[in-house]
Structure formats: C-alpha cells, structure tokens
Amino acid sequence: MSNTSARTVPGTGHALLSRFHLGGSGPTVAIKDCIDIAGQPTCGGSAALADAPPAAAHADVVRKLLDAGWQLTARANMHELAYGMTGINDWNGTAVNPQDASRMTGGSSSGSASAVGAGLVDVSIGSDTGGSIRLPAACCGVIGFKPTFGRVSRAGAYPAVSSLDCVGPFARSMDLIISAMASIAPGFDRAAATATAAQARVKLVTVQADPEIAEAVTAAFAASGWTGDAWTPQHMHAAFEAGMTLINRETHDAFGHLLGLGKLGADIEKRLSAAAATSDEAVAQAEAVRAAFSAEVDAALADADALLLPTLPSLPPTLEAIRQGASVLMLSSLVRPFNLSGHPALSIPVPMAGSSLKAGLQLVGRKGDDERICALGLHLEQALKQRP
C-alpha cells in the first residue's frame, strides 16, 4: 500500500486526497472526488481518470457553499467511480473507519464519512446513488442526508446523467446538516427545519435486521416520544433490485468507455463489464417497480411525517472478511430503495447497548419536505442527548 499513501494526505487515514483553501471563514468542508472544483481535476477515485483536465468551473453545490461563506478545505477520497459499497480503494488508499479501523468505511462516499467522523472537517459533501451517503454515515457513526431527488443541483457532479443520484451533506450534528442544506438547496426553509417535532407521527417499517441493530433503533424511537404504527412495504425488495438494475445501466452508460484500458480496479472492471448486459427489458421492468414503490411510499406518508427503519440491517463487516469474499450487497437493502423512489432520507447515529459502535437510524420523508426530516433528526438528536 506504500504507493497508494502518496495519493492521500498523510495523517488523514486515507480520507483526504488534498488540502487547500477556498472561500470564507465559515465551517470547513470537504468535497467528494466526483464533484467539480474549478482548477482541480475530478478523478472519481480512479486511475482511469487520473489524467482528467482541471475542471473549468465549480459544480453548483461548490459555488453555493462558497457564496454562503463556507471554507472548502479538502478533496475527499471515494470508492472508485462511485460504483461500490465498501470504500476499498487500492489506488488512492482505503479510508479508515473512525468507529472501528478494522471495519469497512462504506461507500461510495467513504472519504467524506471518514473525514467527518475523524473530525478533519465540519461537513463533507458526498453523493448517494444507492445509499452512498447514508451507508458510510451509518458505518462511521455520523449523520448523512440524501435530499429529495433533484432538490440539490447535480450540475458538475459525475456521472453527469443519473435518475437516482443525489448530492448531500455529512456532519456530526444536525445543526450543521441544516446549515449546509440551507446553503445548497434552493428555497430551503431553515425555520421549518428547526421547528419542534416532538409530536410527530411516524411509521415503523417492518424489515429484517440483526437484533442489536433493531434494538438500538427501537430504543431510539422510544426516546423520541413519537407515536407510530408498524408498516410493511410490499415492494421494498423489488425496489432494491430495480435500483441495482438502473445503477448498472446508468453507470455503464457513463463509464463503459473506460473498460479494457487496464486502469480500473479489478472489482470495478468486473462489475462494469457485467453491467453491459443490462437489457432494455430489465430497465423497463425497473421503471415499473419505481412507479409502484414510489406510489406505495407516498401513500404510507400521506398520514405520517416519516418512515423509520434501520439504515443498515447489520454491522459493517471487517475489511479482512470482505477481502476474503464476504458479500456486502444486502447492506444496501434498506437504503437503495429510496434512491429509486426519490424520497428524502436521513441516517442518524444511535447508541447500541453494550457497544462503542453506533447504529444508523433512517428517517424517510415526503418528497420535497426535506425540512421536516431535518426537524425530526434534530429532535431525535436532542432526545438521545437527554436520555440517561
């Protein structure tokens, strides 16, 4: 790994690819390596894009942060081409999980989550196509927010075309998540995002999760004081599979030209090659599932403020287990469906009994009502602090 360490900033646990300073004197921000910063190459964590020319202009999200006075101080590492869930990157180096260095950081926004969890920056900006903000946030014990699809501009983010991907923030506090959203999301109502949420109605989504995860989420719900009934979705697994189909098609459309050059990591070369076989019929079926699942979630939220469920069904596996062949695909089973549907989704860390690790609790809200989800997250954060 000696040749990879030169591509990350020493002392950052492979979380950061570079340090610099742009902007004002506000909170510090790291930007994922698939989002353009003018004058810097956008390499997507991949040797195949190592010779990319410097970006001619800032991505919209970068420009908005600068206009709001934030300090952009670092470029964050990521899983290659944002096409993986582990965060393992043998070219740049693999970002270290600040909760447990033996476990995966999660991807694809691995460096973004690691940098926030390690206190290297106040906020980081990542992207979430199939859980790529919420999954690493849950792995690393930080907050991660996937806004409503289209709420935050993706102009200047890679891949350029996506029906699933969302740009959003990581932070260690809801105050900073709300401040970031107020800067990057047009029309974001800070007052609504900080309004009282003590009387919320939520639906507890019936899902399969390991007992320690389920218990942590149940205990956090009890601490919130919210009222809620159980809800069992009918199309959740189909939405998970449909999300995979569309990610495969759209990622191959964006990066298939990099195949066969000998510059992609072995895992990405294999996945991207397989993605070429995604048929038009499979895409059409995935779109039908998107419509059905989106309608199902909309209906569930018609008389509730949010859906509540674990972010991950189990703890993140160790890097050693992954390198020995352990599958991680189902770790995204509870996050990927909401990329397909486009609903806003927040992962917030909650304590697990008898463990130093935090689990992730996910709140999913009505499309466009990102402020309400932030208000719920703020209430939950405060309720957990007050719990003995």
Side-chain angles (χ1 to χ4, degrees):
M1 197 64 92
S2 59
N3 63 337
T4 62
S5 61
R7 284 187 283 272
T8 55
V9 177
T12 68
H14 295 306
L16 302 181
L17 299 174
S18 63
R19 286 191 185 274
F20 51 88
H21 185 271
L22 291 172
S25 58
T28 56
V29 187
I31 303 294
K32 188 177 179 180
D33 193 28
C34 60
I35 298 172
D36 284 345
I37 300 171
Q40 299 185 16
T42 308
C43 297
S46 178
L49 298 176
D51 297 327
H58 292 312
D60 281 358
V61 66
V62 169
R63 179 177 50 79
K64 289 179 181 296
L65 288 166
L66 292 174
D67 289 347
W70 295 73
Q71 292 186 70
L72 274 58
T73 61
R75 171 70 87 180
N77 198 2
M78 60 183 283
H79 197 111
E80 185 176 4
L81 299 183
Y83 199 34
M85 295 166 44
T86 66
I88 292 174
N89 188 317
D90 288 333
W91 182 58
N92 279 333
T94 297
V96 174
N97 186 331
Q99 283 211 102
D100 181 347
S102 73
R103 297 179 185 270
M104 77 173 200
T105 307
S108 63
S109 305
S110 52
S112 299
S114 177
V116 166
L120 302 173
V121 289
D122 298 313
V123 167
S124 62
I125 300 297
S127 62
D128 189 316
T129 312
S132 287
I133 289 174
R134 291 157 292 153
L135 190 153
C139 290
C140 294
V142 300
I143 305 169
F145 186 48
K146 181 197 82 68
T148 300
F149 180 79
R151 183 71 189 267
V152 175
S153 172
R154 293 189 63 260
Y158 292 16
V161 177
S162 175
S163 69
L164 303 164
D165 189 47
C166 301
V167 171
F170 293 82
R172 294 184 300 281
S173 73
M174 280 306 305
D175 283 342
L176 281 169
I177 293 286
I178 291 166
S179 292
M181 285 298 294
S183 297
I184 66 177
F188 188 85
D189 185 344
R190 185 188 288 270
T194 55
T196 181
Q199 304 302 316
R201 297 164 298 156
V202 303
K203 291 187 176 179
L204 308 177
V205 185
T206 304
V207 296
Q208 294 294 317
D210 288 352
E212 64 268 33
I213 302 285
E215 290 166 9
V217 169
T218 299
F221 170 70
S224 74
W226 297 330
T227 58
D229 298 316
W231 177 69
T232 302
Q234 299 303 307
H235 301 288
M236 188 88 162
H237 185 71
F240 163 73
E241 293 185 330
M244 280 300 310
T245 296
L246 294 177
I247 286 171
N248 288 339
R249 166 58 69 87
E250 293 176 358
T251 304
H252 185 269
D253 285 349
F255 299 118
H257 65 284
L258 301 177
L259 286 167
L261 302 179
K263 294 185 177 181
L264 294 173
D267 62 324
I268 301 299
E269 184 85 21
K270 181 178 179 180
R271 287 191 63 201
L272 202 55
S273 295
T278 306
S279 68
D280 291 345
E281 180 183 5
V283 169
Q285 291 173 348
E287 291 293 359
V289 173
R290 189 204 298 264
F293 181 66
S294 297
E296 182 181 26
V297 176
D298 285 342
L301 288 166
D303 59 350
D305 292 286
L307 308 178
L308 186 152
L309 67 161
T311 308
L312 306 181
S314 59
L315 291 175
T318 64
L319 294 169
E320 180 181 3
I322 294 167
R323 292 191 184 279
Q324 291 178 353
S327 174
V328 298
L329 182 61
M330 294 309 295
L331 272 183
S332 66
S333 61
L334 308 182
V335 287
R336 192 181 305 275
F338 302 107
N339 292 93
L340 188 75
S341 68
H343 293 84
L346 175 76
S347 180
I348 190 165
V350 296
M352 289 198 307
S355 175
S356 61
L357 299 177
K358 299 286 185 70
L361 180 152
Q362 187 177 197
L363 293 166
V364 179
R366 291 182 288 269
K367 290 177 183 175
D369 202 1
D370 301 52
E371 290 87 346
R372 185 58 173 168
I373 288 298
C374 286
L376 292 170
L378 183 62
H379 172 79
L380 180 60
E381 178 184 65
Q382 294 167 344
L384 291 173
K385 288 179 180 176
Q386 294 167 4
R387 192 173 69 173

